[in-house]
């Protein structure tokens, strides 16, 4: 399987250049990999870069964390990740969502301390009232 991730800036060590991952060539089917999806804006840069690098078919997007925030359209009924799928026509998936992370860490110890206590949970809830999907 071919995979590719867009770097913010080119590197001259490790995987050099702007695209990290498998070298791609015409005819490849590629999965784009990202660490997190917030608004989906990064895909506006990534999709054209991948398609300019070779004549490939992007078959999906896999992200580590879906922050479950509203996408660029401002439609509060869908996440940015859902909007990316609609805009570009390929499936999107996340390993974990912010809701899952919050639920798992809320009032639980992790490495000797509670990561999300009542105060932090309240702040997260307030943040999602403003930026999250409904």
């Amino acid at each position: 399987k071919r995979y590719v991730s867009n770097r913010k800036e080119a590197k001259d060590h490790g995987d050099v250049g702007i695209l990290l991952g498998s070298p791609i060539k015409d005819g490849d089917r590629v999965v784009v990999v990202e660490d997190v999806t917030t608004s989906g804006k990064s895909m506006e840069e990534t999709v054209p870069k991948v398609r300019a690098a070779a004549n490939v078919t992007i078959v999906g997007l896999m992200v580590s964390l879906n922050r479950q925030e509203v996408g660029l359209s401002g439609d509060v009924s869908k996440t940015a990740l859902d909007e990316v799928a609609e805009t570009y026509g390929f499936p999107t998936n996340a390993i974990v969502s912010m809701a899952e992370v919050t639920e798992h860490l809320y009032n639980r110890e992790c490495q000797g301390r509670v990561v999300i206590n009542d105060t932090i949970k309240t702040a997260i809830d307030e943040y999602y009232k403003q930026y999250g999907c409904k």
Side-chain angles (χ1 to χ4, degrees), residues 12 88 111:
D12 60 2
Y88 296 102
Q111 298 179 346

Side-chain angles (χ1 to χ4, degrees), residues 50-81:
V50 171
R51 290 182 174 157
N55 183 16
V56 300
T57 301
I58 300 174
V59 296
L61 167 64
M62 177 57 80
V63 298
S64 297
L65 175 66
N66 178 0
R67 288 188 48 168
Q68 298 178 288
E69 293 188 24
V70 174
L72 297 173
S73 73
D75 183 346
V76 298
S77 70
K78 57 187 162 194
T79 68
L81 200 57

